[in-house]
DNA sequence: TGTTCGACCTTACACCGTATGGTCAGCTCA
DNA sequence: TGAGCTGACCATACGGTGTAAGGTCGAACA
């Protein structure tokens, strides 16, 4: 379609970079081989020349994310290095929220391995035994990852979504306030700085399925 | 196909229960509307009489999981209640690992709301302010969830998988030991009790794509 | 000048969620 | 008794998915 001198050459690295960019914009579910190929200016099956499978791309994308984490250097002070790492993890995952949902795979890339290696090296250099290093990493990573996941599940960008969405639940608020008084209490006066923002957590996803093609009086999933 | 008196009646609740059972056995990716319907003895489209969409089923499944968490009762002591909750969360999520990957949705069910309500009630009864309650829940949930996620990403059942899978990486171990000395060190002498088991983390997923249909000498994704 | 080969394409398949519109037994009510 | 309604289910179809199998073609090389 476009002359080869005009089009930037396709490589595994570029495909993965473009995939990351697409996922950043539109999320990871709508990212398909066909759309990625189109973005690269080729056909879907041509991707398989550069890449094993879609999972291979996802692994590569995760490795890109790992490469953006702040990695401790030799001689870094332990506490500040771990703090930098945690903060950068939070920031990077906020920029690539899709990474959290694909984090449970098992084929780490070079950046991932390098990052973990550096972290282990930093802790060991600080005098930690190997078991203690494992424990420290488990504790830190569990919390940071879990926090990032909580944060990602909230609609952080204030795109007018919150006000409209809460109206749905407000209609039933009387019943809800009776059934879940503590929850209602927290939803009414939330702490703006708290990690949990229950009012947003509770919003219903009604706009995803706005209407049915026929009178739905009998449908089980309609509220009576 | 089967007489209606023979077949257990299909309801939203039963569909979700069966979906949970299927996901427990085979994971959540292969769970499709057609397979679930077949398991229930009906056709795929008949599910939509009882259920809004597949997302509706996933929401219901998550609510089932929440209903299995240990929920604090009125008057429970704060520390032990939170500890029970954390431990049961770990155990329940170990039994339903798929729940972790769909945890970032936004249409909570009654069990979810009830559970959160009870937790808030317990902390408030212990004298926590509302902001402090939010903070406490954020901290606890972040860690417990992150830990469960780490744990789920490891192949916990010793189905002979570990030994075979590590052979792949052992072949390249010399190069890896040089590039990532700390990682290799931890992989060689891991702590059996540590949360991170790097040796297993590092295994390659080669068996997923065992061979190609043609000589793959030129493929970019083959190691040179 | 013929052969190889890297990079790409076409076609096809099985599967997915679900929109649309039946079908039909059993019930209500005139 | 018979007409109409309705709850529960089914058949077909559409546009999407990942990817197996094999074809095409220009450039590089013998």
């Amino acid at each position: 379609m476009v002359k080869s001198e005009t089009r930037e050459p396709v490589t595994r690295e570029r495909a993965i970079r473009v995939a990351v960019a697409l996922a950043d914009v539109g999320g990871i579910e709508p990212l398909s081989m066909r759309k990625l190929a189109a973005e690269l200016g080729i056909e879907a099956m041509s991707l398989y020349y550069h890449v094993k499978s879609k999972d291979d791309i996802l692994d590569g994308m995760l490795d890109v994310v790992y490469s953006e984490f702040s990695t401790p250097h030799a001689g870094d002070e332990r506490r500040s290095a771990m703090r930098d790492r945690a903060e950068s993890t939070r920031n990077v995952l906020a920029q690539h929220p899709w990474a959290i949902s694909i984090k449970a795979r098992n084929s780490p890339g070079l950046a991932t391995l390098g990052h973990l290696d550096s972290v282990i090296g930093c802790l060991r250099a600080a005098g930690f035994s190997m078991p203690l290093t494992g424990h420290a990493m488990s504790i830190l990573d569990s919390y940071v990852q879990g926090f990032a996941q909580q944060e990602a599940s909230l609609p952080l960008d204030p795109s007018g979504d919150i006000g409209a969405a809460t109206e749905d639940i407000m209609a039933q608020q009387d019943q809800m306030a009776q059934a879940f008084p503590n929850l209602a209490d927290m939803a009414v006066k939330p702490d703006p700085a708290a990690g949990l923002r229950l009012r947003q957590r509770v919003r219903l996803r009604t706009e995803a399925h706005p209407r049915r093609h026929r009178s739905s009086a009998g449908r089980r999933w309609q509220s009576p």
Side-chain angles (χ1 to χ4, degrees), chain A:
Chain A
M1 195 163 277
V2 185
K3 283 281 175 245
S4 59
E5 42 192 0
T6 320
R7 197 185 59 200
E8 201 173 340
V10 176
T11 64
R12 189 189 128 98
E13 283 65 36
R14 190 164 98 86
I16 289 171
R17 250 172 29 228
V18 170
V20 167
L22 285 180
D24 285 348
V25 172
I28 211 155
E29 300 100 356
L31 173 66
S32 71
M33 297 299 271
R34 284 172 235 261
K35 286 177 193 160
L36 174 56
E39 191 73 21
L40 290 165
I42 61 177
E43 295 299 313
M45 287 311 292
S46 305
L47 270 173
Y48 286 83
Y49 181 79
H50 306 278
V51 138
K52 241 186 303 204
S53 63
K54 192 183 183 182
D55 271 10
D56 188 25
I57 292 182
L58 294 177
D59 285 339
M61 292 170 73
L62 204 57
D63 209 46
V64 167
V65 171
Y66 264 93
S67 79
E68 295 180 2
F69 291 159
S70 157
T71 295
H73 299 95
D76 278 4
E77 194 269 326
R78 188 196 92 222
R79 294 179 64 91
S80 64
M82 290 302 115
R83 184 182 183 89
D84 282 355
R85 185 171 98 100
E87 283 177 348
S88 88
T89 300
R90 178 193 182 179
N91 294 332
V92 169
L93 289 183
Q95 210 167 357
H96 310 297
W98 45 266
I100 297 163
S101 59
I102 61 170
K103 207 154 194 184
R105 18 196 82 257
N106 41 13
S107 203
L110 290 178
T112 305
L113 296 173
H115 177 81
L116 292 174
D117 191 78
S118 296
V119 174
I120 297 171
C122 177
L123 290 175
R124 301 238 49 196
F128 280 45
S129 72
M130 192 57 93
L132 189 57
T133 298
H135 259 88
M137 288 177 66
S138 169
I139 290 173
L140 289 173
D141 287 0
S142 290
Y143 176 65
V144 172
Q145 239 179 88
F147 185 88
Q149 184 170 342
Q150 304 261 18
E151 213 170 29
S153 78
L154 305 175
L156 277 191
D157 57 345
S159 57
D161 192 29
I162 301 168
T166 43
E167 286 173 11
D168 297 333
I169 193 84
M170 287 308 176
Q172 310 175 338
Q173 202 181 24
D174 289 346
Q175 306 150 30
M176 214 196 77
Q178 291 198 351
F180 311 110
N182 301 304
L183 211 49
D185 216 26
M186 182 173 264
V188 167
K189 34 178 172 168
D191 173 26
L196 270 181
R197 245 150 288 186
L198 283 170
R199 195 210 299 245
Q200 296 163 32
R201 256 201 155 183
V202 139
R203 78 197 175 92
L204 300 176
R205 205 176 351 141
T206 52
E207 68 281 8
H209 300 280
R211 77 197 78 89
R212 299 281 298 178
H213 69 283
R214 72 154 82 169
S215 157
S216 48
R219 292 289 136 116
R220 281 283 174 82
W221 44 267
Q222 283 285 349
S223 61

